[in-house]
Amino acid sequence: MVCDLCGSPVTNEKVTYSLELPERWILVEKVPARVCAQCGERLFDIDTVEKLQSIAWGQQEPDRVQETAVFDFSKVP
């Protein structure tokens, strides 16, 4: 299989998917994806997308909660 964007080969990998929602960020680990070796594009099959949507909009409890630092790039000298 090749990348839809650049035509380079893709490999099956497990990735971390991040999503910014109105009042929070979520991270989903170990998501199956086809990743382009050249441009890094990540391709997800329809079943994976449906599960990601279920996680994002559902009421499922996360496996863990992690604190993270947030920086405003415009304030960095």
Side-chain angles (χ1 to χ4, degrees), residues 26-70:
I26 63 168
L27 296 175
V28 184
E29 298 176 316
K30 301 176 187 170
V31 180
R34 291 183 301 278
V35 180
C36 177
Q38 177 67 32
C39 71
E41 178 71 7
R42 300 182 311 172
L43 307 165
F44 303 100
D45 66 31
I46 190 67
D47 291 333
T48 300
V49 170
E50 288 175 355
K51 286 182 180 181
L52 289 169
Q53 289 174 337
S54 173
I55 292 167
W57 304 114
Q59 300 300 315
Q60 180 176 338
E61 287 294 317
D63 292 311
R64 69 182 190 279
V65 176
Q66 202 168 305
E67 184 178 330
T68 187
V70 178

Side-chain angles (χ1 to χ4, degrees), residues 4-37:
D4 292 342
L5 295 180
C6 71
S8 294
V10 296
T11 57
N12 292 322
E13 297 181 26
K14 300 283 184 174
V15 301
T16 298
Y17 181 82
S18 63
L19 179 64
E20 182 180 6
L21 297 173
E23 295 186 17
R24 64 189 173 118
W25 278 87
I26 63 168
L27 296 175
V28 184
E29 298 176 316
K30 301 176 187 170
V31 180
R34 291 183 301 278
V35 180
C36 177

